[in-house]
């Protein structure tokens, strides 16, 4: 398995006020697949994604990525892990306002060990025509494509998307998801998408449902469809 | 909704800002208070001391002694108080004592330590020398002209609060010179008649001119020095007034940075709270009420700074006050801070901040409630699109745009660096310039090693050295200068004009550049002045200017000078020499050697070094405080970019340098402008205070000082970066990504 999460535990707060964001969660995913994690707000989706992405540390259990146990890494090693292996996309694009589209991507390409060609990734996401624009001059969907390009330029094995269409209208959402699909196809990137929007599950190879910090169900998607056919 | 609780919470959330703003305010205020306290304390002490001890209005000497009964007659006729003062300059091994017989009416003394003279073998000495040399009052014995005296007390005297040995000196001498009092009978038995001069206090200022003419008619005035021209007396209030001026400059200048900081801070606060503001105004809060609420955030640093200041002022008043007293005899003025000044000190910056807060909020509240609710205000993002298509390092492009897009923030960084550099560089420039005075002054006088100023008028030529005639005169408004006569073949007095030629003294008059600066004259101008004896007017035409920023004189041939002074053409009263001469000590009034100025300037630097170093520290504090606050702000503002870069695996160091390094671009201009401004300030000071200082200070800033300034400012700059650095490390990736929108 490419991703293995075993008995993951994460607790916020203590005593009466304690919240178990992850409560003995077990999860695994094969390389090169698209996985959609569904669950209501507060169910622990982001927490799970953050653990897999090496943003936060577990209180119990382990996360193994491509055979490597990242639970044991120190801060510096985690930074290196994120730099080499993980791309992140969030609901809010968090682009650097003072940089153009091209520069936002370049900044990240500069730190990558085996970056993709900037022009290539810009054209893959169909944003090369905006390369000299600044984030404020773009629509939400366009900005999110820049965010994906920025995450992808490092050529990571794993792309983690937290509510990436959460702030977008249906048309933009569909377009963004089309590019996600394309990336998975062209670069073989393993992609994890978390959302509370059931409809998105249509593009997944695997669908995981999470509730109260536990994995409620995990199934292969027999009716996988193309993103452009999604009814959002 | 309870709005008031929010002030405290806001302080907690923006601690670095409030801390820096309060420190900056306090530094400005403390400097204001301390300079003000020192200035008014010295001024008030001087006034009281002068009145109580009957400071003179003038002193003068005459060629013919005025008989005692005639003194009384003059007093009656011209409504004045007159007193003949007996003294002698006694040069011993290692020191010179100016021994007086105590006066009864004018320039009285006040005992500082010990007691008055009771026996013939007792003396009093001036307090400054006693303190500087650790003279043990009551025990220490001193030998004057071979006789031993016990020092039974020290004293202060109104015409010697600033201990200039000679009137031509530029700094006090308390290391090798002091005043002494001796019993009158003892004085006569040891020194004989000694020298004497007359002291006068006028009770009717309309009769001064008549008095002076009458004295000259009967007794021939040989010298006359009004208190206004007597640096020993004017320096007290002169320096006090300069302190008071400095105080007000500080009060206006330093809160400037804080104002810039506050306006950024308030702007940020309001932008981040526009939804709240929109909601509140939709709920019916009036604009007035909202303005009041938010503008009060700006008042906080003023108030905290005010409290901090009271504490600091209490602690620092004494040490700082004594720094301000370094130039004087050791008097102890009462340093008090009038309540209204204390209140004004706190109120002025607070009001400025408040006003700035109101203006800033007024501008933002002009926007629609709907716009505010939609979080749209302040996201206009102008002026950022620089270099979009240019090939350059991304880091550099980001830096340039970030500076351009945040002019207020950039201004604070610039000001922080600038103020640090300007204060440090000014302190250095002061030291360098004073040193330059010491090094260059004598060269501008001439190539002589010794100048002997005689207290007698000689005739013909000296057996050794070159003869000079020096006679004091006054401008029409009473400012003193000298008329000099030198021989045409004089080799030792500097006679090179500013155009590089030798002054043709046989055929015209030349003026020192100091004289030209003081009276505002140029080559070709006519100069009208009056004789200090007869008050008769004279006019000469200035043929050229001789570069000499230290001596206030006009010069021509000995004949011309003698004619102006009303003397025979062959008279002289000073001798220049390139080696030490064996001239009878009793006929020498003053010796200027080629090291005199250097020694004086060294002494001045020594006694002022405390204040100079204090200034440098203050410069550093201002620099670090301003930069720390604004860079902290910068990190907060960029929290979402920082988290995102962290998430994408960029190391903290690299992020730090990307976000913060924008400021590097301001470091060099800030330092450069600071250094130029310091040099300019010194040049301005030198020209604006020619009158007070009585010399043209050659504004100087050595390369070594420039380098140290650059180094010191850069250190302050990088210290503030270091302080902020931790903040990037502490930025929580997950937290700040959660609720951050572009
Ligand atoms: N930093 C935190 N401090 C306290 N509680 C947290 C924190 N992060 C998440 N939680 C809690 O953990 C639970 C799971 O949160 P999260 O993983 O963000 O859910 P989701 O992404 O599914 O909406 C929620 O109850 C949330 O309130
Ligand atoms: Mg979430």
């Amino acid at each position: 398995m490419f991703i293995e999460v075993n008995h993951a535990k994460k607790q916020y707060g203590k005593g009466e006020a304690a919240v178990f964001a992850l409560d003995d969660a077990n999860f695994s995913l094969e390389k090169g697949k698209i996985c959609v994690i569904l669950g209501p707000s507060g169910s622990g989706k982001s927490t799970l994604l953050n653990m897999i992405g090496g943003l936060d540390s577990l209180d119990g259990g382990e996360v193994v990525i491509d055979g490597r146990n990242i639970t044991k890494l120190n801060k510096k090693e985690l930074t290196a892990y994120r730099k080499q292996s993980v791309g992140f996309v969030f609901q809010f694009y968090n682009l650097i306002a003072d940089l153009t589209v091209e520069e936002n991507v370049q900044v990240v390409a500069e730190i990558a060990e085996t970056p993709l060609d900037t022009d290539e990734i810009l054209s893959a996401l169909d944003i090369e025509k905006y390369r000299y624009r600044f984030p404020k001059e773009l629509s939400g969907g366009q900005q999110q494509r820049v965010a994906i390009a920025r995450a992808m330029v490092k050529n990571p094995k794993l792309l983690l998307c937290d509510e990436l269409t959460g702030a977008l209208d249906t048309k933009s959402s569909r377009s963004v998801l089309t590019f996600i699909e394309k990336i998975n196809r062209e670069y073989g990137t393993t992609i994890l998408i978390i959302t509370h929007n059931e409809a998105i599950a249509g593009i997944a190879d695997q669908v995981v449902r999470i509730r109260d910090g536990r994995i409620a169900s995990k199934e292969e998607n027999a009716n996988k469809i193309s993103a452009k056919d999604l009814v959002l | 909704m309870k709005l008031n609780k929010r002030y405290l919470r806001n302080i907690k959330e923006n601690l670095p800002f409030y801390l820096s703003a309060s420190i900056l305010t306090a530094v400005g205020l403390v400097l204001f208070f301390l300079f003000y306290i020192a200035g008014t304390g010295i001024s008030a002490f001087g006034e009281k001391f002068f009145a109580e001890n009957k400071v003179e209005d003038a002193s003068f000497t005459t060629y013919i002694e005025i008989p005692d009964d005639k003194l009384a007659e003059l007093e009656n006729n011209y409504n004045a108080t007159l007193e003949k003062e007996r003294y002698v300059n006694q040069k011993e091994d290692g020191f010179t004592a100016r021994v007086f017989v105590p006066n009864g009416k004018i320039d009285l003394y006040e005992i500082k330590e010990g007691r008055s003279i009771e026996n013939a073998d007792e003396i009093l000495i001036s307090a400054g020398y006693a303190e500087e040399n650790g003279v043990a009052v009551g025990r220490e014995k001193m030998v004057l002209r071979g006789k031993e005296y016990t020092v039974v007390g020290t004293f202060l005297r109104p015409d010697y609060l600033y201990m200039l040995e000679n009137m031509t000196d530029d700094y006090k001498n308390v290391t090798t010179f002091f005043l002494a009092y001796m019993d009158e009978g003892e004085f006569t038995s040891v020194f004989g008649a000694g020298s004497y001069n007359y002291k006068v206090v006028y009770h009717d200022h309309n009769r001064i001119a008549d008095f002076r003419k009458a004295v000259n008619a009967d007794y021939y005035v040989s010298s006359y020095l009004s208190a206004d021209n007597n640096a020993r007396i004017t320096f007290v209030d002169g320096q006090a007034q300069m302190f008071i001026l400095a105080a007000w400059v500080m009060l206006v200048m330093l809160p400037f940075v804080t104002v810039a900081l506050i306006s950024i801070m308030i702007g940020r606060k309001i932008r981040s709270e526009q939804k709240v503001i929109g909601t509140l105004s939709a709920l019916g809060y009036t604009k007035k009420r909202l303005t009041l609420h938010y503008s009060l955030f700006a008042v906080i640093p003023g108030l905290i700074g005010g409290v901090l200041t009271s504490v600091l002022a209490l602690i620092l008043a004494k040490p700082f006050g004594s720094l301000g007293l370094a130039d004087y005899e050791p008097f102890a003025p009462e340093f008090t801070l009038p309540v209204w000044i204390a209140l004004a000190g706190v109120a002025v910056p607070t009001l400025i901040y408040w006003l700035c807060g109101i203006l800033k909020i007024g501008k933002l509240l002009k926007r629609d409630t709907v716009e505010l609710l939609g979080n749209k205000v302040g996201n206009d993002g102008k002026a950022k699109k620089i270099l979009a298509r240019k090939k350059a390092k991304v880091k550099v492009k980001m830096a340039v745009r970030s500076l351009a897009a945040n002019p207020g923030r950039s201004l604070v960084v610039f000001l922080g660096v600038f103020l640090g550099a300007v204060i440090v560089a000014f302190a250095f420039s002061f030291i360098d310039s004073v040193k330059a005075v010491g090094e260059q002054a004598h060269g501008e006088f001439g190539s002589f090693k010794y100048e002997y100023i005689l207290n007698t008028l000689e005739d013909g030529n000296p057996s050794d050295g070159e003869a000079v005639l020096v006679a004091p005169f006054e401008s029409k408004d009473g400012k003193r200068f000298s008329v000099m006569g030198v021989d045409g073949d004089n080799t030792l007095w500097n006679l090179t004009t500013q155009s590089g030629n030798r002054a043709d003294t046989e055929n015209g008059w030349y003026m020192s550049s100091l004289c030209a600066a003081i009276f505002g004259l140029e080559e070709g101008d006519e100069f009208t002045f009056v004789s200090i004896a007869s008050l008769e007017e004279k006019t000469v035409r200035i043929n050229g200017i001789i570069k000499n920023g230290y001596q206030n004189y006009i010069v021509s041939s000995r004949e011309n000078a003698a004619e102006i002074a009303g003397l025979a053409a062959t008279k002289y009263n000073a001798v220049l020499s390139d080696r030490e001469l064996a001239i009878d000590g009793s006929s020498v009034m003053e010796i200027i050697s080629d090291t005199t100025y250097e020694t004086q300037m060294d002494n001045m630097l020594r006694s002022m070094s405390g204040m100079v170093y204090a200034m440098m520290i203050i410069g550093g504090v201002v620099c670090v405080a301003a930069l720390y606050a604004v860079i902290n702000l910068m990190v907060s503002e960029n929290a979402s970019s920082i988290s995102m870069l962290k998430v994408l695996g960029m190391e903290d160091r690299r992020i730090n340098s990307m976000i913060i390094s924008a400021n590097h671009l301001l470091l060099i201009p800030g330092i450069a402008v600071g250094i130029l401004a310091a040099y300019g300030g010194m040049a301005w000071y030198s020209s604006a205070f020619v009158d007070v200082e009585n010399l043209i200070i050659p504004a100087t800033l050595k390369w070594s000082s420039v380098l140290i300034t650059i180094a010191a400012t850069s250190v302050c700059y990088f210290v503030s970066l270091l302080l902020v650095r931790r903040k990037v490390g502490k930025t929580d990736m997950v937290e700040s990504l959660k609720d951050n929108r572009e």
Side-chain angles (χ1 to χ4, degrees), chain A residues 174-194:
Chain A
R174 196 175 293 117
S175 144
V176 163
L177 290 168
T178 316
F179 285 105
I180 290 287
E181 226 173 19
K182 182 177 173 189
I183 281 164
N184 174 254
R185 196 170 56 239
E186 290 184 6
Y187 298 101
T189 316
T190 310
I191 299 175
L192 256 163
I193 300 170
I194 63 174

Side-chain angles (χ1 to χ4, degrees), chain B residues 109-275:
Chain B
Y109 67 87
E110 213 168 75
I111 294 281
K112 168 131 175 73
E113 196 191 339
R115 57 164 175 84
S116 299
I117 303 164
E118 286 165 4
N119 298 300
D121 63 350
E122 293 172 353
I123 54 167
L124 301 176
I125 67 168
S126 49
Y129 178 89
E131 200 161 272
E132 173 83 13
N133 294 279
V135 173
V137 174
R139 282 175 285 133
E140 190 131 342
K141 306 227 187 295
M142 285 184 146
V143 176
L144 293 173
R145 204 169 270 185
K147 244 188 114 175
E148 203 173 66
Y149 296 90
T150 308
V151 178
V152 294
T154 65
F155 67 91
L156 302 172
R157 194 184 139 127
D159 57 333
Y160 275 98
L161 285 178
Y162 181 43
M163 192 60 67
L164 291 180
E165 180 176 359
N166 305 299
M167 286 313 304
T168 50
D169 288 351
D170 269 319
Y171 198 62
K172 69 170 182 179
N173 178 1
V174 290
T175 50
T176 62
F177 173 73
F178 60 89
L179 311 180
Y181 280 118
M182 188 179 272
D183 171 75
E184 182 160 12
E186 178 69 12
F187 183 93
T188 310
S189 82
V190 176
F191 300 108
S195 311
Y196 60 87
N197 62 16
Y198 299 98
K199 302 276 181 180
V200 57
V201 171
Y202 299 110
H203 306 295
D204 180 354
H205 285 247
N206 293 321
R207 309 225 49 198
I208 297 175
D210 289 342
F211 168 84
R212 290 178 63 177
K213 285 177 186 162
V215 170
N216 187 55
D218 292 343
Y219 308 104
Y220 303 103
V221 169
S222 53
S223 76
Y224 181 94
L225 182 67
S226 67
D228 294 342
N229 282 314
N230 187 340
R232 291 175 186 135
I233 297 172
T234 56
F235 190 74
V236 176
D237 204 52
Q239 177 144 308
Q241 294 310 325
M242 225 141 84
F243 281 156
I244 295 172
L245 176 76
W248 291 106
V249 170
M250 302 286 168
L251 185 64
V252 179
M253 282 269 295
L254 283 172
F256 194 64
V257 193
T258 329
V259 164
L261 253 181
I262 284 174
S263 90
I264 299 169
M265 168 65 200
I266 293 281
R268 198 175 88 104
K269 179 88 196 139
I270 302 231
R271 268 198 296 278
S272 70
E273 292 212 351
Q274 43 190 301
K275 266 192 141 164

Side-chain angles (χ1 to χ4, degrees), chain B residues 410-462:
Chain B
S410 308
L411 180 71
V412 175
V413 174
F414 179 82
L415 282 177
V417 174
F418 168 78
L419 280 176
V422 81
I423 294 174
V424 173
F426 189 81
F428 271 114
S429 175
F430 183 82
I431 294 175
D432 291 347
S433 303
V434 169
K435 277 192 182 145
V437 170
E439 287 158 9
Q440 296 169 17
H442 199 82
E444 293 188 9
F445 298 174
S447 57
F448 58 91
K449 281 219 168 64
Y450 294 93
E451 178 182 13
Y452 297 89
I453 299 177
L454 311 174
N455 48 29
T456 52
L457 260 183
E458 304 291 325
D459 201 40
N461 279 305

Side-chain angles (χ1 to χ4, degrees), chain B residues 485-503:
Chain B
V486 295
D487 287 324
D489 58 358
N490 181 297
T491 58
L492 297 172
W493 190 257
N494 171 23
L495 290 174
T496 309
T497 64
Q498 280 182 335
S499 48
N501 304 317
R502 184 180 163 89

